[in-house]
Amino acid sequence: MNSSVWTPLKFPFYRTFWICAFLSNLGTWIQDVAASWVMTHLSSSPLIIALLSFANSLPLVLLSIPAGYMADTRDRRKVLLLALALMFLASLFLGINVYNGHISEVMLLSLTCVMGIGAALSGPAFQTVVSDLVPTEEQQNSILVFYMGINATRVLGPALGGGVLSSFGPSAAFWMNTISFFGLILFVIKWPLPKRDFAALAKVKAQPEELAMLFSIHNIRLWIEILVVTFCASCLWALYPTKGRVELLLNSWQYGSLLGCLGLGACVSALFSKKLMGGATAQSLALAYLFFSLGLLSMGIGDSYLWMCLGMFLAGVGWIVLATLMNMSSRQLTGKSHLKATMLGVFFAVFYLGMASGSVAWGFMAKLE
């Protein structure tokens, strides 16, 4: 890989942001493992377990568009601090209640929903951070380096989560996630935001031609395709806890490593992204669907830990390509928009609508078996 890819890390504020975001994402993956682990101890119902994914996705469905508008027209520092505070407190309360043995299905789902609210509020605002911290000519590399860090946490976080679960218990995993927010909170407080006229921004509205473009027949087809893909794909996140913990009785380290295998597949896919996504979009999509489908098939018919690992790895290879292509297709719609974060909020809302509705549907179907 060309060394110039790492040039954005030479800029102090970008480097600080990258490190803080890396640690926060690491904590999030550690908590994800702990949350699903705790839920499988509270209930063996596939529907109840699948509701954990639903509770995390629902706020992103309802709030992504308003959050995008807030990022476009309000003080992003205040928006981000509110979002980070919500996630910090939710993670802290989860750790305290799990440690004291006072956790219940309703409490776990409710606090997971609060985490989702924070993620929904912060998502569009953080989309603007990366591009604000580097010169224009380095923006593409800054995004690439940022997502390389995210993919690395997909591997390290779940593996660490499994180790923390087996060594210190689930409450420690929640507290680790709580601590991981400190860096981002301090960064946002000290972030040298460019000056903005908030009074003028508050009056900015989407132009009729922008809305017509966003909801044209061609783009409605794109939203429907994204909805269908995420609805079907959500079965992985909705049902892997039931398969791994309830059916196969995996220990805490094995269970945590499943998400690590998913992240490892995503990392391998990212390394070969130019080959996987460099050709025709239709061919790239076909390969992604094939890998993801093979992963689901492996997890469906497999009856061992190794089959689950293989399935998660293959699914990770396919999913990162699918998610990237969907995101790129949506970003192309925002090129001339005055409210880019708002327009991207439509993509997030559709994306997580499929994830949320699919989680409930697949959990209900698994319960009927």
Side-chain angles (χ1 to χ4, degrees), residues 17 43 68 92 103 141 145 150 158 206 210 333 344 352:
F17 167 71
S43 174
L92 177 62
I103 196 71
N141 284 336
V145 174
I150 289 179
E210 293 177 323
L333 307 181
L344 282 172
Y352 285 102

Side-chain angles (χ1 to χ4, degrees), residues 19-275:
I19 293 172
C20 293
F22 180 89
L23 293 175
S24 180
N25 279 298
L26 198 65
T28 298
W29 283 108
I30 291 172
Q31 172 162 310
D32 283 350
V33 173
S36 57
W37 174 267
V38 170
M39 183 59 87
T40 57
H41 280 73
L42 294 173
S43 174
S44 60
S45 167
L47 178 59
I48 298 298
I49 295 171
L51 284 178
L52 195 63
S53 179
F54 173 80
N56 189 56
S57 299
L58 183 61
L60 289 147
V61 176
L62 301 177
L63 299 178
S64 287
I65 298 175
Y69 184 76
M70 290 173 65
D72 282 323
T73 61
R74 298 291 187 270
D75 187 339
R76 284 173 288 169
R77 191 193 309 277
K78 293 180 180 178
V79 173
L80 286 171
L81 286 176
L82 172 62
L84 291 169
L86 285 174
M87 291 187 283
F88 172 86
L89 291 173
S91 184
L92 177 62
F93 288 150
L94 278 169
I96 292 173
N97 285 288
V98 169
Y99 180 79
N100 291 327
H102 297 156
I103 196 71
S104 65
E105 295 99 323
V106 173
M107 182 182 295
L108 180 56
L109 290 173
S110 299
L111 290 173
T112 298
C113 188
V114 174
M115 294 288 294
I117 292 173
L121 291 175
S122 65
F126 270 130
Q127 292 283 325
T128 67
V129 173
V130 176
S131 58
D132 282 346
L133 297 177
V134 296
T136 303
E137 63 271 16
E138 293 296 336
Q139 288 185 5
Q140 183 174 350
N141 284 336
S142 71
I143 294 171
L144 178 59
V145 174
F146 178 70
Y147 280 106
M148 287 174 67
I150 289 179
N151 283 329
T153 63
R154 292 175 187 270
V155 180
L156 297 174
L160 284 173
V164 170
L165 279 175
S166 60
S167 301
F168 306 103
S171 59
F174 292 116
W175 286 333
M176 286 184 69
N177 187 43
T178 303
I179 295 171
S180 75
F181 287 114
F182 278 119
L184 271 180
I185 291 172
L186 291 175
F187 173 82
V188 172
I189 291 173
K190 294 183 175 295
W191 178 20
L193 273 169
K195 293 183 178 180
R196 307 173 82 196
D197 185 347
F198 297 115
L201 287 172
K203 298 177 182 179
V204 175
K205 298 183 183 297
Q207 301 300 313
E209 57 269 22
E210 293 177 323
L211 295 177
M213 172 190 67
L214 194 63
F215 296 105
S216 65
I217 297 298
H218 174 271
N219 294 329
I220 287 294
R221 291 175 180 170
L222 173 64
W223 303 136
I224 293 174
E225 180 181 357
I226 291 173
L227 181 65
V228 172
V229 170
T230 52
F231 179 91
C232 295
S234 65
C235 66
L236 185 149
W237 288 271
L239 300 180
Y240 92 86
T242 301
K243 178 75 175 182
R245 186 73 192 105
V246 178
E247 295 185 9
L248 298 182
L249 301 176
L250 301 182
N251 61 41
S252 56
W253 184 88
Q254 290 173 324
Y255 183 78
S257 67
L258 291 180
L259 278 179
C261 290
L262 184 75
L264 182 61
C267 285
V268 171
S269 183
L271 291 175
F272 296 97
S273 59
K274 289 185 178 180
K275 291 183 179 181

Side-chain angles (χ1 to χ4, degrees), residues 147 151 154 225-226 229-230 233 237 262-292 313-330 347 351:
Y147 280 106
N151 283 329
R154 292 175 187 270
E225 180 181 357
I226 291 173
V229 170
T230 52
W237 288 271
L262 184 75
L264 182 61
C267 285
V268 171
S269 183
L271 291 175
F272 296 97
S273 59
K274 289 185 178 180
K275 291 183 179 181
L276 290 172
M277 294 185 285
T281 301
Q283 295 176 350
S284 300
L285 279 173
L287 279 173
Y289 286 136
L290 176 62
F291 275 103
F292 194 80
F313 176 83
L314 292 174
V317 172
W319 179 247
I320 198 67
V321 176
L322 285 174
T324 301
L325 290 175
M326 287 188 288
N327 191 289
M328 288 171 58
S329 297
S330 301
F347 162 70
F351 184 96

